[in-house]
Structures are given as structure tokens and as C-alpha cells.
Amino acid sequence: MLAVVGLAGLFLALIVLTDGARSGLAAWLTVLGAGIVAALWRGRGRSLRGRLWPFAPLIVAAALTASVCIPAFPTTREYPPDLSFVTTRHWSLSTGSRVAVYRYPPAADGPRHPTPLVYLHGGPVRSISVLDHRFLRLLAGQGYDVYAYEHPGGGRSDLLPMDQYTISRSERDLAAFIDRLGKGPVDVLGFSAGAIVLTRALATPATAARVHRAIIAEPGPMDGPTALISGRQGRPSARDLAPALSGARATHVPRYAVAFGLIQLGLLSPDTGLITQAEGVNAFQAADLGGDTASAYCARDADRIPAEDTAENFSFNAAASLRIRQTIRDSPSIAPKLSRSRTPAMLMIAECSSQVRQWQTAVLTAATIERTQYMPGVGHRMWNGLGDNNERAAAVITAFLQGKTSPLRNYPTRADISDFLRDHG
């Protein structure tokens, strides 16, 4: 037994040292060779049976570790089927990205707003969830011409080489998308990771000039210094209270448990040779997100968390997501540039936010925030289809875009930050 554990440990060490070269076969063949030499050494001078016995743990270890080297999912990208309720288009952007685009035109029987609204979804590098699509349809029903695109590498958008997944590329893709749309400055609603992209875009004058009004909803850390901040989150979430997500998990398969686990720990590069990028996207399942989904809801909603997506639509590029997050952590402060932006912006903060409060207040401190909306009764996933949550989120968004009085007070302001962190953490 100790020999099996030792060989398996050597295999994992070699996976790390070789960065999973050749789907792990480089490590596997090295372990096999070392095991054969060790078995021959241990069996020297013994009877035939005695010489064969040292090979038993080698055979067991070789069989166990071989499961890490054999793909269980297709190694070329398999895209989700098109949705039945919206047309999927593909646009080639000037950055070289080819993205899946969705449009929800304004309702024909009501007022139409002249400025298009572009939605930047969370993730990063995943499909736009069905919950998001429903919310975009609600906004379109109120007269907005709504566009959304899936970031390169996620959903139905084409993959990029792994080293091209950077937060700066995401910013350039936004500018290129607005240019491709060709309708002048647009309103932009950025949620979670999309809010990071939008915040950083406001700190880039050329991109900020393309944005008419900006809505920064539940942002993560906007730059490296902000990412280093640890602090309190919002009211308790449902993370440790909700039932575990059901369904298949790629991490129950040894190959993907090893690959995703070592990538998450930083022991394998996102561009590891163990699994291809396409294979990793094909393998990752909604249940692999674990408690992340529940953390986006208030504790009071633990027993009624809705299905955010369908198995057919769900897609998440875990390696590319980690790569983009690393480029955020490696980036310098954008606060000085962000403070010079004059694009009208609104910040949305959830009561049960799973984001660090100081990530959100860092935006409030640096950016030109005309209005902050503290959203009671919701978690990070503010539009979630529960009760009137979608309608309440739409009400504050449309009020800001139209320059009207909000149904909620402007809170917190910069002057309120200390009290807010004390009272709402």
C-alpha cells in the first residue's frame, strides 16, 4: 500500500514539474519506468514468484494514475446549442475576438429609449445564464434596445490562446464591440466580473468616451491593490445553508479533479498540458461550482434558490477565468485614472453581497458615482426571479438611465462609507 501511495505521489509531483506535459503521459511513463526499475531491484535473487510480487503495487499505481491521462470528454470545443428564445449571432471584433451576440429589441408597443444598452455578464468567461436572459428581456420590454455578448472563451464565443485572456483584452473587446455596434455612445450595465471590465473601461479615456452612462453592479476587485484588500462581506449568504447542487461533476473524475484542483492551487498553469482548454470547458459542470452559486443568495433564500441555468446552456472556462483574475491581481492601481472619468455612473450593492465590501467602496471612492443603490433583500445575484427582485432591480436601473428619481435613496455616498462598512458588513 505504501508503495502505491509513493508512486501516486511521485506521479502528482511529476505532473506539477512537467506542467502536465502530453496529457500527463510524460509523468506517467516516468513513474512507470521508475517503478519497473524499483520492482526489478526488489525482486533480485528471489524465486519467480518473489520477483513478480514487487510488480503488484506498480500495476495498481499505474492503473490508478492512468485515469488522469485519459480524456473523458471531447478534446475539441463543443458549443452549447442555440437558445430557443433569442437568435445567436457571431461578430468578429477588431481585437481578433469572435463573440456570440444576443439582441433584445425594444417592445413595439411602448416608449423607446434612443441609447442602446449593452450588458456585460459575470463569470468571467462563462455563458450568459438563463436568469440573465430573462432580465434582459424585462429591460427590453421597458423600451431598451438591449445587446449582450459572451466574453471570448465562454458560452458560444470562440476560444482565445490562453495567454490572451487578460483584463486589458476584455476592456479592448468592450470598446471594439461598441464600435462594431456602430450606434455611438451606449449605456453599459456591468455585473460582477462585467462590472470590473466596465470600471476599468471608465479609467481609459478612449473607452469611457464610448459610454453614455455606466451601471456598476456588484463589482469584484478593480485592480491589484484592491484585490489585496480583505474585509467583511454583506449580510450572511446561503453558501453553507443551501442543499448542494445536484448533477454530474467533472471533479468526480480523477483527471479533472487533479487538473482543476492543481490549477486552482496555482501548481499547474492555466495553459497546462494536462488538459486542453477546450476539454476543460467541455468537462466543467454547473455542480462543480460548489457553494459559489448559493453564496450569491441571502441566507433567507437558502431553501428556494432558483435554477440559474440549464445544463444545455451552462458553460464555464475555469482556466481562462483564473488567468483573467490573475491579470487583475497583477495590475497597478487604476484609481488615479478612474478619478478623472466624467462618465455618469451608478453603483449597485447587494445586502447579502458575497463580494468584499471594500472592493465596492473602492469604486465609490475613486469613480464619479452619481448614485449608489443599496439593494435590500438580495444577494450578489440581484436579479434572480424571486419575488419582485427583477422588477426592483429594473426600477433603479431605468431611473438612472432616464435621469429620474430613484425609488431608493442614494446610499451609501462617500461620506457614508465608514458607517456603511460598520453597519452593513
Side-chain angles (χ1 to χ4, degrees):
M1 182 63 181
L2 288 176
V4 173
V5 172
L7 289 169
L10 176 61
F11 172 75
L12 290 176
L14 289 170
I15 286 288
V16 172
L17 289 173
T18 62
D19 199 26
R22 297 184 179 277
S23 198
L25 285 174
W28 187 82
L29 290 172
T30 301
V31 169
L32 183 63
I36 290 173
V37 171
L40 290 173
W41 177 262
R42 292 179 60 195
R44 71 192 188 285
R46 299 184 181 182
S47 64
L48 177 61
R49 183 175 181 180
R51 290 196 299 271
L52 293 177
W53 181 247
F55 283 89
L58 173 61
I59 293 171
V60 173
L64 289 174
T65 54
S67 63
V68 178
C69 305
I70 302 172
F73 290 86
T75 56
T76 56
R77 182 73 174 99
E78 291 192 335
Y79 293 90
D82 287 351
L83 295 163
S84 61
F85 50 79
V86 65
T87 300
T88 304
R89 297 181 174 86
H90 288 89
W91 287 4
S92 294
L93 305 180
S94 60
T95 56
S97 299
R98 186 170 181 269
V99 297
V101 180
Y102 309 92
R103 182 195 179 196
Y104 291 99
D109 56 352
R112 296 193 177 195
H113 303 283
T115 305
L117 175 62
V118 173
Y119 177 61
L120 298 177
H121 64 90
V125 203
R126 63 181 294 177
S127 53
I128 298 175
S129 72
V130 170
L131 278 184
D132 279 342
H133 279 289
R134 290 172 183 162
F135 185 63
L136 299 182
R137 280 189 286 180
L138 173 62
L139 294 175
Q142 297 183 9
Y144 292 92
D145 192 8
V146 181
Y147 291 82
Y149 66 93
E150 287 168 324
H151 304 304
R156 297 162 187 82
S157 294
D158 287 3
L159 303 177
L160 295 175
M162 190 60 68
D163 62 0
Q164 293 187 26
Y165 292 110
T166 65
I167 190 62
S168 60
R169 174 61 172 263
S170 299
E171 296 170 47
R172 296 195 303 272
D173 281 338
L174 171 60
F177 182 85
I178 297 171
D179 290 345
R180 175 69 171 78
L181 187 58
K183 296 189 176 183
V186 301
D187 295 327
V188 182
L189 166 60
F191 166 66
S192 192
I196 300 174
V197 176
L198 177 55
T199 301
R200 295 179 66 94
L202 296 182
T204 305
T207 307
R210 296 170 166 89
V211 179
H212 176 247
R213 283 180 173 259
I215 301 170
I216 302 167
E218 278 289 285
M222 63 185 183
D223 53 27
T226 309
L228 292 175
I229 297 173
S230 60
R232 301 174 65 184
Q233 299 176 339
R235 305 294 190 197
S237 77
R239 183 180 184 91
D240 298 318
L241 303 173
L245 289 176
S246 60
R249 293 174 182 257
T251 47
H252 287 172
V253 180
R255 176 173 174 81
Y256 306 104
V258 169
F260 294 138
L262 293 179
I263 292 173
Q264 181 73 37
L265 291 172
L267 297 176
L268 288 181
S269 70
D271 201 17
T272 176
L274 184 56
I275 59 173
T276 66
Q277 181 187 170
E279 183 187 353
V281 180
N282 293 337
F284 203 92
Q285 307 294 314
D288 288 313
L289 293 172
D292 284 354
T293 297
S295 70
Y297 293 82
C298 290
R300 66 179 73 95
D301 294 325
D303 60 350
R304 60 170 193 158
I305 292 176
E308 291 196 350
D309 218 339
T310 63
E312 296 78 17
N313 184 62
F314 177 82
S315 170
F316 183 53
N317 191 330
S321 178
L322 287 171
R323 163 80 181 162
I324 290 177
R325 290 175 185 177
Q326 185 59 54
T327 65
I328 295 172
R329 290 192 290 269
D330 292 341
S331 68
S333 173
I334 65 168
K337 294 180 179 178
L338 187 59
S339 66
R340 293 193 289 270
S341 173
R342 293 297 174 261
T343 302
M346 179 175 77
L347 176 65
M348 296 178 70
I349 301 175
E351 177 186 359
C352 308
S353 177
S354 55
Q355 307 287 63
V356 173
R357 286 299 196 201
Q358 286 86 344
W359 296 349
Q360 302 163 340
T361 56
V363 176
L364 180 57
T365 299
T368 304
I369 300 297
E370 292 191 352
R371 184 181 299 180
T372 304
Q373 302 286 260
Y374 177 71
M375 304 293 294
V378 293
H380 181 62
R381 171 66 72 175
M382 289 185 287
W383 40 88
N384 53 37
L386 296 177
D388 64 348
N389 291 341
N390 284 17
E391 289 73 18
R392 290 195 297 121
V396 300
I397 289 170
T398 56
F400 175 72
L401 293 180
Q402 297 173 33
K404 296 181 178 179
T405 301
S406 173
L408 299 177
R409 69 185 177 112
N410 179 25
Y411 177 81
T413 65
R414 288 187 184 183
D416 300 319
I417 289 177
S418 294
D419 292 342
F420 175 75
L421 293 175
R422 183 193 64 222
D423 298 337
H424 297 282

